[in-house]
Each structure stands twice: as structure tokens, then as C-alpha cells.
Amino acid sequence: MKILHVITTLYTGGAEKLMVDLLPRLKAAGHEADLCIFDGSRTPFYEEITAKGIKVIDFGVGNSVYNPKNILKLRKLVRNYDIIHTHNTSPQFFAALANIGIGKNLITTEHNTHNRRRNLAGFSSIDRWMYNQYQSVICISDKAEENLREFINNDTQKINVIYNGIDVAKFSEAPKSDELEAIASDAKKVVMVAAFRPQKDQQTLIKAIQYLPENFHLYLIGEGECLQECKNLTESLGLSARVHFMGRRSNIGELLKAGDYIVMSSHYEGLSLSSIEGMSVGKPFLASDVDGLREVVQGFGVLFPHEDEKALASEILNLDKTKEEYNRVAGACYQRALQFDISKMVEGYLNTYRSI
């Protein structure tokens, strides 16, 4: 099969990481798997995926991902492929428009349990039209499927769940970075890997640090539009010496292995790849009790109430008091991560392609 995936950019994010992991495996299975991105800015993910031999077609560096010219560019491009698989809002909508009169097989992946467009009357009707142009809609979590079915009032078989997956061994066997130790020797290290976007909630984690002993340090890995807001909050709380902004990084596994506690603080998720990565490294994983995280973490890691920094700090201290409980939670998290190994995800995607 000739398969084209379409996404906005290759900046840091779960959907972007999915491209880096999935497409080389589709190629290894004997298929042509290319990637189209609307903004071709060179990022670590861009360099990684091209190094793996994936053809990347970009519509220009720094371009707006909502530029309507992308529809015309897609219209020329999609004719060359058997399956068009989209991710994120503008590729989903633009590919549906570009395919009018061409009739290619369209698939999209719904990466979140909710989006703000569904609350807007004008946008909601457009979304319903858009989803109906797709032969298959893949949701990355049960809650994402439930919410989407309710939104578009669809009980057909075109919507199904394929859990995101990661290469568990890549993270569990990663060497431990000494970089965090160099920043603050002998500190107990709390690590969160996530883009600084409105969906994420680094603010609650930053606030939690003020309720932990002085030897606890926080390492935030990622970039994004909310970064400066988080830096301002850190400074206002007098935590600049204990909260470290690490920027966009490519050695995520090594940094996670160097942490003592891995946290995902968020307002909502689809199914967070960063969370599964965090559960793979043999450390306790703590997450907000919200859609998309609850179904993955409950019964294995530790859930804390949404936006409750004191409760988060308390959970970390409880784990820190008892080595047995620390090790039990860490082991349970690793076993849970194994259920999301990437081999299962790849087979699910291939089965979907074959079905249409």
C-alpha cells in the first residue's frame, strides 16, 4: 500500500511522536509510508524521522498550518496514494476538502478526548461533516471514542480504538543521564515531559514543589506557547532554584531514567504517549485524575485530583516514605506499559488499512 500521513508539524507532541515511531515500522512491513507536514520547520523529530528513511513532504518552513493554500497542495498530493491518514485539526479538515471529487480512502486519528470546537455551534456542524468524510476514525482511548460517538451521534463501526504504543524496551533499557544530577546533585528529581500547551497543566506541578522539602527539584522537558507563563509562575513562587526548564530534548528515555518520580499533570488527554514512556522506566508514575489518563494509570500508578497541588505533593511524600511502596508502584507501572507496546499498535493500524 501507498500510505500518506498528514500532520501540522514535527514539533514536540504525542501525535508527532507517533509519526516517528509508526511510519518506519509501516515501511519495514513492506508499505510505502510518507509524511506530509504543513510547517516544515527542522526539529529533532524531523531529523529523526528523515534519518530513519521516511520521505517528508513539507509545505514550507514557518507556514501557517491553517493556510487555505494547503488544500490545493494536498489535492495534488493525495492522488498519488492509496490511503490518506490525517492527524490534528487542520489536516483533518483540509484533507476532507481536498479529497472532494477524488475519492481516496481517508482515515484520521482522534488524539484527544475533547476539543474546544465541539462547544462552538458553527464549528461543531463543520466537524460533523468532516468526520463523515472519513472511512475510518481511530480513537486512541476508550474515552476519546465515547466522546466522539456522542458528539457526532454515530454508532457505526467506522469508529474504533487503537491504543497508542511505544517501544517499551527503548525506554526501559535506556542508560541513565547524568545531566539532572549535574544541575542539582543529591536532589530528588521530579520529571515531567510534555509540551507547554493549554491542555497540559505544568502549573499545578510547579505549585506542588513548594509543599515538598528543599531537596526536591522539578525538571520540565518541552517547549510551547505556555512556557513563559510557567516561568513567570516559578519566579513568583520563589522556586527558580528548584524548577528547571530543560527545553525540547531528544534523549527522553535517558532523562526519565534519571528521575525519581515521573508526573503527567494535565487537564485532559487522549492517550498520552509521554505517560506510557514515563511508566516504562521503572519509576513511580503520578498523573492527574482526568479523562485519558485515568483509564491508563488507575490501579497501576498514582492518580491525584485535578489541579490539586497539595494532594500531588502529599502523594509524592507518601511514596518517598516507604521503599516497598515505591518499588511496588514502579513495578506495576512497568507492567502496565508493556500492555501498550508499539507492536500491538502497528498491527492495529495495518488491520485498519487492510479493511478499507
mmCIF file of all heavy atoms in Angstrom, residues 143-175:
data_model
loop_
_atom_site.group_PDB
_atom_site.id
_atom_site.type_symbol
_atom_site.label_atom_id
_atom_site.label_comp_id
_atom_site.label_asym_id
_atom_site.label_seq_id
_atom_site.Cartn_x
_atom_site.Cartn_y
_atom_site.Cartn_z
ATOM 1 N N LYS A 143 -12.224 6.580 26.173
ATOM 2 C CA LYS A 143 -12.969 7.801 26.456
ATOM 3 C C LYS A 143 -13.030 8.700 25.226
ATOM 4 O O LYS A 143 -14.058 9.353 24.977
ATOM 5 C CB LYS A 143 -12.320 8.555 27.622
ATOM 6 C CG LYS A 143 -13.162 9.706 28.157
ATOM 7 C CD LYS A 143 -14.483 9.199 28.741
ATOM 8 C CE LYS A 143 -15.292 10.327 29.345
ATOM 9 N NZ LYS A 143 -16.590 9.846 29.872
ATOM 10 N N ALA A 144 -11.957 8.739 24.451
ATOM 11 C CA ALA A 144 -11.977 9.528 23.218
ATOM 12 C C ALA A 144 -13.040 9.000 22.266
ATOM 13 O O ALA A 144 -13.768 9.773 21.628
ATOM 14 C CB ALA A 144 -10.597 9.501 22.556
ATOM 15 N N GLU A 145 -13.161 7.673 22.179
ATOM 16 C CA GLU A 145 -14.200 7.078 21.323
ATOM 17 C C GLU A 145 -15.600 7.405 21.847
ATOM 18 O O GLU A 145 -16.492 7.797 21.084
ATOM 19 C CB GLU A 145 -14.024 5.567 21.250
ATOM 20 C CG GLU A 145 -15.082 4.904 20.375
ATOM 21 C CD GLU A 145 -15.142 3.397 20.539
ATOM 22 O OE1 GLU A 145 -14.716 2.891 21.594
ATOM 23 O OE2 GLU A 145 -15.635 2.730 19.613
ATOM 24 N N GLU A 146 -15.781 7.248 23.136
ATOM 25 C CA GLU A 146 -17.088 7.521 23.733
ATOM 26 C C GLU A 146 -17.535 8.964 23.469
ATOM 27 O O GLU A 146 -18.671 9.221 23.057
ATOM 28 C CB GLU A 146 -17.026 7.249 25.243
ATOM 29 C CG GLU A 146 -18.306 7.568 25.998
ATOM 30 C CD GLU A 146 -18.130 7.434 27.503
ATOM 31 O OE1 GLU A 146 -17.265 6.641 27.941
ATOM 32 O OE2 GLU A 146 -18.854 8.135 28.246
ATOM 33 N N ASN A 147 -16.625 9.898 23.688
ATOM 34 C CA ASN A 147 -16.973 11.300 23.496
ATOM 35 C C ASN A 147 -17.225 11.638 22.032
ATOM 36 O O ASN A 147 -18.118 12.428 21.712
ATOM 37 C CB ASN A 147 -15.859 12.194 24.046
ATOM 38 C CG ASN A 147 -15.784 12.168 25.557
ATOM 39 O OD1 ASN A 147 -16.635 11.581 26.227
ATOM 40 N ND2 ASN A 147 -14.757 12.783 26.114
ATOM 41 N N LEU A 148 -16.437 11.044 21.131
ATOM 42 C CA LEU A 148 -16.624 11.336 19.710
ATOM 43 C C LEU A 148 -17.943 10.770 19.203
ATOM 44 O O LEU A 148 -18.665 11.430 18.451
ATOM 45 C CB LEU A 148 -15.457 10.774 18.899
ATOM 46 C CG LEU A 148 -15.523 11.050 17.390
ATOM 47 C CD1 LEU A 148 -15.538 12.547 17.109
ATOM 48 C CD2 LEU A 148 -14.356 10.382 16.666
ATOM 49 N N ARG A 149 -18.276 9.549 19.605
ATOM 50 C CA ARG A 149 -19.550 8.966 19.183
ATOM 51 C C ARG A 149 -20.722 9.823 19.648
ATOM 52 O O ARG A 149 -21.688 10.040 18.917
ATOM 53 C CB ARG A 149 -19.686 7.547 19.730
ATOM 54 C CG ARG A 149 -18.863 6.511 18.991
ATOM 55 C CD ARG A 149 -19.214 5.097 19.439
ATOM 56 N NE ARG A 149 -18.370 4.097 18.817
ATOM 57 C CZ ARG A 149 -18.567 3.609 17.589
ATOM 58 N NH1 ARG A 149 -19.592 4.048 16.866
ATOM 59 N NH2 ARG A 149 -17.754 2.701 17.093
ATOM 60 N N GLU A 150 -20.629 10.298 20.869
ATOM 61 C CA GLU A 150 -21.692 11.142 21.402
ATOM 62 C C GLU A 150 -21.794 12.449 20.612
ATOM 63 O O GLU A 150 -22.899 12.932 20.314
ATOM 64 C CB GLU A 150 -21.444 11.431 22.876
ATOM 65 C CG GLU A 150 -22.502 12.303 23.530
ATOM 66 C CD GLU A 150 -22.219 12.562 24.994
ATOM 67 O OE1 GLU A 150 -21.252 11.972 25.543
ATOM 68 O OE2 GLU A 150 -22.958 13.354 25.603
ATOM 69 N N PHE A 151 -20.644 13.000 20.248
ATOM 70 C CA PHE A 151 -20.620 14.286 19.559
ATOM 71 C C PHE A 151 -21.219 14.185 18.156
ATOM 72 O O PHE A 151 -22.033 15.029 17.749
ATOM 73 C CB PHE A 151 -19.183 14.802 19.477
ATOM 74 C CG PHE A 151 -19.014 15.995 18.584
ATOM 75 C CD1 PHE A 151 -19.595 17.212 18.909
ATOM 76 C CD2 PHE A 151 -18.278 15.899 17.413
ATOM 77 C CE1 PHE A 151 -19.450 18.312 18.079
ATOM 78 C CE2 PHE A 151 -18.131 16.989 16.574
ATOM 79 C CZ PHE A 151 -18.716 18.204 16.914
ATOM 80 N N ILE A 152 -20.832 13.158 17.395
ATOM 81 C CA ILE A 152 -21.310 13.069 16.011
ATOM 82 C C ILE A 152 -22.520 12.152 15.887
ATOM 83 O O ILE A 152 -23.000 11.901 14.783
ATOM 84 C CB ILE A 152 -20.189 12.629 15.041
ATOM 85 C CG1 ILE A 152 -19.696 11.212 15.352
ATOM 86 C CG2 ILE A 152 -19.039 13.605 15.065
ATOM 87 C CD1 ILE A 152 -18.689 10.714 14.322
ATOM 88 N N ASN A 153 -22.987 11.632 17.014
ATOM 89 C CA ASN A 153 -24.181 10.776 17.030
ATOM 90 C C ASN A 153 -24.012 9.614 16.062
ATOM 91 O O ASN A 153 -24.844 9.383 15.178
ATOM 92 C CB ASN A 153 -25.430 11.589 16.686
ATOM 93 C CG ASN A 153 -26.706 10.830 16.982
ATOM 94 O OD1 ASN A 153 -26.725 9.936 17.834
ATOM 95 N ND2 ASN A 153 -27.785 11.178 16.290
ATOM 96 N N ASN A 154 -22.930 8.886 16.250
ATOM 97 C CA ASN A 154 -22.565 7.822 15.317
ATOM 98 C C ASN A 154 -22.346 6.526 16.084
ATOM 99 O O ASN A 154 -21.524 6.470 17.003
ATOM 100 C CB ASN A 154 -21.278 8.215 14.562
ATOM 101 C CG ASN A 154 -20.932 7.210 13.478
ATOM 102 O OD1 ASN A 154 -20.770 6.036 13.747
ATOM 103 N ND2 ASN A 154 -20.808 7.694 12.250
ATOM 104 N N ASP A 155 -23.083 5.480 15.712
ATOM 105 C CA ASP A 155 -22.894 4.186 16.360
ATOM 106 C C ASP A 155 -22.435 3.122 15.367
ATOM 107 O O ASP A 155 -22.592 1.925 15.584
ATOM 108 C CB ASP A 155 -24.184 3.731 17.054
ATOM 109 C CG ASP A 155 -25.362 3.611 16.084
ATOM 110 O OD1 ASP A 155 -25.162 3.906 14.888
ATOM 111 O OD2 ASP A 155 -26.462 3.210 16.531
ATOM 112 N N THR A 156 -21.865 3.564 14.250
ATOM 113 C CA THR A 156 -21.402 2.620 13.242
ATOM 114 C C THR A 156 -20.023 2.082 13.609
ATOM 115 O O THR A 156 -19.390 2.506 14.567
ATOM 116 C CB THR A 156 -21.311 3.300 11.864
ATOM 117 O OG1 THR A 156 -20.238 4.253 11.888
ATOM 118 C CG2 THR A 156 -22.611 4.019 11.532
ATOM 119 N N GLN A 157 -19.570 1.158 12.803
ATOM 120 C CA GLN A 157 -18.284 0.515 13.047
ATOM 121 C C GLN A 157 -17.109 1.317 12.509
ATOM 122 O O GLN A 157 -15.965 0.890 12.620
ATOM 123 C CB GLN A 157 -18.281 -0.897 12.414
ATOM 124 C CG GLN A 157 -19.283 -1.844 13.017
ATOM 125 C CD GLN A 157 -19.076 -2.035 14.498
ATOM 126 O OE1 GLN A 157 -17.964 -2.333 14.939
ATOM 127 N NE2 GLN A 157 -20.128 -1.864 15.288
ATOM 128 N N LYS A 158 -17.363 2.499 11.912
ATOM 129 C CA LYS A 158 -16.254 3.269 11.335
ATOM 130 C C LYS A 158 -15.354 3.877 12.406
ATOM 131 O O LYS A 158 -14.254 4.299 12.122
ATOM 132 C CB LYS A 158 -16.788 4.360 10.414
ATOM 133 C CG LYS A 158 -17.480 5.509 11.112
ATOM 134 C CD LYS A 158 -18.024 6.523 10.122
ATOM 135 C CE LYS A 158 -16.946 7.301 9.436
ATOM 136 N NZ LYS A 158 -17.472 8.335 8.528
ATOM 137 N N ILE A 159 -15.819 3.937 13.659
ATOM 138 C CA ILE A 159 -15.017 4.454 14.768
ATOM 139 C C ILE A 159 -14.524 3.289 15.596
ATOM 140 O O ILE A 159 -15.303 2.433 16.016
ATOM 141 C CB ILE A 159 -15.841 5.412 15.650
ATOM 142 C CG1 ILE A 159 -16.417 6.559 14.822
ATOM 143 C CG2 ILE A 159 -14.975 5.967 16.777
ATOM 144 C CD1 ILE A 159 -17.332 7.480 15.598
ATOM 145 N N ASN A 160 -13.220 3.241 15.827
ATOM 146 C CA ASN A 160 -12.667 2.157 16.653
ATOM 147 C C ASN A 160 -11.487 2.683 17.455
ATOM 148 O O ASN A 160 -11.003 3.794 17.222
ATOM 149 C CB ASN A 160 -12.254 0.968 15.794
ATOM 150 C CG ASN A 160 -11.176 1.318 14.794
ATOM 151 O OD1 ASN A 160 -9.996 1.214 15.097
ATOM 152 N ND2 ASN A 160 -11.551 1.748 13.587
ATOM 153 N N VAL A 161 -11.045 1.892 18.410
ATOM 154 C CA VAL A 161 -9.961 2.284 19.307
ATOM 155 C C VAL A 161 -8.698 1.496 18.983
ATOM 156 O O VAL A 161 -8.728 0.266 18.862
ATOM 157 C CB VAL A 161 -10.345 2.035 20.783
ATOM 158 C CG1 VAL A 161 -9.155 2.329 21.699
ATOM 159 C CG2 VAL A 161 -11.536 2.894 21.175
ATOM 160 N N ILE A 162 -7.609 2.222 18.796
ATOM 161 C CA ILE A 162 -6.275 1.611 18.754
ATOM 162 C C ILE A 162 -5.419 2.410 19.726
ATOM 163 O O ILE A 162 -5.160 3.595 19.501
ATOM 164 C CB ILE A 162 -5.654 1.654 17.343
ATOM 165 C CG1 ILE A 162 -6.527 0.894 16.341
ATOM 166 C CG2 ILE A 162 -4.246 1.069 17.365
ATOM 167 C CD1 ILE A 162 -6.029 0.987 14.901
ATOM 168 N N TYR A 163 -5.014 1.781 20.796
ATOM 169 C CA TYR A 163 -4.223 2.480 21.794
ATOM 170 C C TYR A 163 -2.871 2.874 21.216
ATOM 171 O O TYR A 163 -2.239 2.091 20.501
ATOM 172 C CB TYR A 163 -3.998 1.608 23.030
ATOM 173 C CG TYR A 163 -5.252 1.278 23.789
ATOM 174 C CD1 TYR A 163 -5.598 -0.044 24.055
ATOM 175 C CD2 TYR A 163 -6.098 2.281 24.254
ATOM 176 C CE1 TYR A 163 -6.748 -0.366 24.756
ATOM 177 C CE2 TYR A 163 -7.248 1.970 24.948
ATOM 178 C CZ TYR A 163 -7.574 0.648 25.201
ATOM 179 O OH TYR A 163 -8.712 0.349 25.879
ATOM 180 N N ASN A 164 -2.420 4.086 21.519
ATOM 181 C CA ASN A 164 -1.060 4.471 21.171
ATOM 182 C C ASN A 164 -0.071 3.521 21.823
ATOM 183 O O ASN A 164 -0.316 2.997 22.912
ATOM 184 C CB ASN A 164 -0.766 5.891 21.638
ATOM 185 C CG ASN A 164 -1.239 6.929 20.640
ATOM 186 O OD1 ASN A 164 -1.682 6.595 19.549
ATOM 187 N ND2 ASN A 164 -1.149 8.192 21.005
ATOM 188 N N GLY A 165 1.035 3.327 21.161
ATOM 189 C CA GLY A 165 2.050 2.430 21.713
ATOM 190 C C GLY A 165 3.432 3.033 21.619
ATOM 191 O O GLY A 165 3.675 3.972 20.858
ATOM 192 N N ILE A 166 4.339 2.509 22.386
ATOM 193 C CA ILE A 166 5.733 2.937 22.343
ATOM 194 C C ILE A 166 6.634 1.705 22.325
ATOM 195 O O ILE A 166 6.198 0.587 22.609
ATOM 196 C CB ILE A 166 6.093 3.816 23.558
ATOM 197 C CG1 ILE A 166 6.057 2.990 24.853
ATOM 198 C CG2 ILE A 166 5.191 5.016 23.669
ATOM 199 C CD1 ILE A 166 6.814 3.601 25.986
ATOM 200 N N ASP A 167 7.873 1.922 21.999
ATOM 201 C CA ASP A 167 8.889 0.867 22.083
ATOM 202 C C ASP A 167 9.336 0.799 23.541
ATOM 203 O O ASP A 167 10.226 1.527 23.973
ATOM 204 C CB ASP A 167 10.057 1.205 21.162
ATOM 205 C CG ASP A 167 11.097 0.102 21.097
ATOM 206 O OD1 ASP A 167 11.039 -0.825 21.932
ATOM 207 O OD2 ASP A 167 11.970 0.168 20.219
ATOM 208 N N VAL A 168 8.686 -0.064 24.314
ATOM 209 C CA VAL A 168 8.921 -0.107 25.758
ATOM 210 C C VAL A 168 10.392 -0.381 26.064
ATOM 211 O O VAL A 168 10.988 0.235 26.951
ATOM 212 C CB VAL A 168 8.010 -1.150 26.425
ATOM 213 C CG1 VAL A 168 8.373 -1.314 27.904
ATOM 214 C CG2 VAL A 168 6.550 -0.747 26.295
ATOM 215 N N ALA A 169 10.994 -1.293 25.311
ATOM 216 C CA ALA A 169 12.384 -1.655 25.586
ATOM 217 C C ALA A 169 13.324 -0.468 25.412
ATOM 218 O O ALA A 169 14.312 -0.335 26.142
ATOM 219 C CB ALA A 169 12.819 -2.801 24.668
ATOM 220 N N LYS A 170 13.009 0.408 24.458
ATOM 221 C CA LYS A 170 13.850 1.586 24.224
ATOM 222 C C LYS A 170 13.961 2.441 25.479
ATOM 223 O O LYS A 170 15.022 3.016 25.772
ATOM 224 C CB LYS A 170 13.277 2.410 23.074
ATOM 225 C CG LYS A 170 13.996 3.720 22.801
ATOM 226 C CD LYS A 170 13.330 4.490 21.683
ATOM 227 C CE LYS A 170 13.977 5.855 21.477
ATOM 228 N NZ LYS A 170 13.307 6.635 20.396
ATOM 229 N N PHE A 171 12.880 2.515 26.253
ATOM 230 C CA PHE A 171 12.882 3.339 27.461
ATOM 231 C C PHE A 171 13.337 2.560 28.679
ATOM 232 O O PHE A 171 14.092 3.081 29.503
ATOM 233 C CB PHE A 171 11.487 3.938 27.673
ATOM 234 C CG PHE A 171 11.135 4.977 26.658
ATOM 235 C CD1 PHE A 171 10.548 4.628 25.456
ATOM 236 C CD2 PHE A 171 11.437 6.303 26.883
ATOM 237 C CE1 PHE A 171 10.253 5.588 24.490
ATOM 238 C CE2 PHE A 171 11.151 7.277 25.932
ATOM 239 C CZ PHE A 171 10.564 6.905 24.736
ATOM 240 N N SER A 172 12.906 1.330 28.796
ATOM 241 C CA SER A 172 13.295 0.552 29.980
ATOM 242 C C SER A 172 14.781 0.240 29.992
ATOM 243 O O SER A 172 15.390 0.095 31.055
ATOM 244 C CB SER A 172 12.487 -0.745 30.050
ATOM 245 O OG SER A 172 12.781 -1.591 28.949
ATOM 246 N N GLU A 173 15.396 0.164 28.809
ATOM 247 C CA GLU A 173 16.816 -0.174 28.709
ATOM 248 C C GLU A 173 17.693 1.054 28.438
ATOM 249 O O GLU A 173 18.902 0.920 28.231
ATOM 250 C CB GLU A 173 17.016 -1.201 27.594
ATOM 251 C CG GLU A 173 16.277 -2.513 27.853
ATOM 252 C CD GLU A 173 16.293 -3.456 26.661
ATOM 253 O OE1 GLU A 173 16.988 -3.132 25.666
ATOM 254 O OE2 GLU A 173 15.619 -4.492 26.717
ATOM 255 N N ALA A 174 17.109 2.240 28.467
ATOM 256 C CA ALA A 174 17.891 3.454 28.207
ATOM 257 C C ALA A 174 18.910 3.672 29.322
ATOM 258 O O ALA A 174 18.627 3.413 30.494
ATOM 259 C CB ALA A 174 16.961 4.657 28.121
ATOM 260 N N PRO A 175 20.102 4.151 28.978
ATOM 261 C CA PRO A 175 21.074 4.484 30.022
ATOM 262 C C PRO A 175 20.612 5.713 30.798
ATOM 263 O O PRO A 175 19.884 6.553 30.275
ATOM 264 C CB PRO A 175 22.354 4.780 29.235
ATOM 265 C CG PRO A 175 21.869 5.219 27.891
ATOM 266 C CD PRO A 175 20.616 4.437 27.618
#
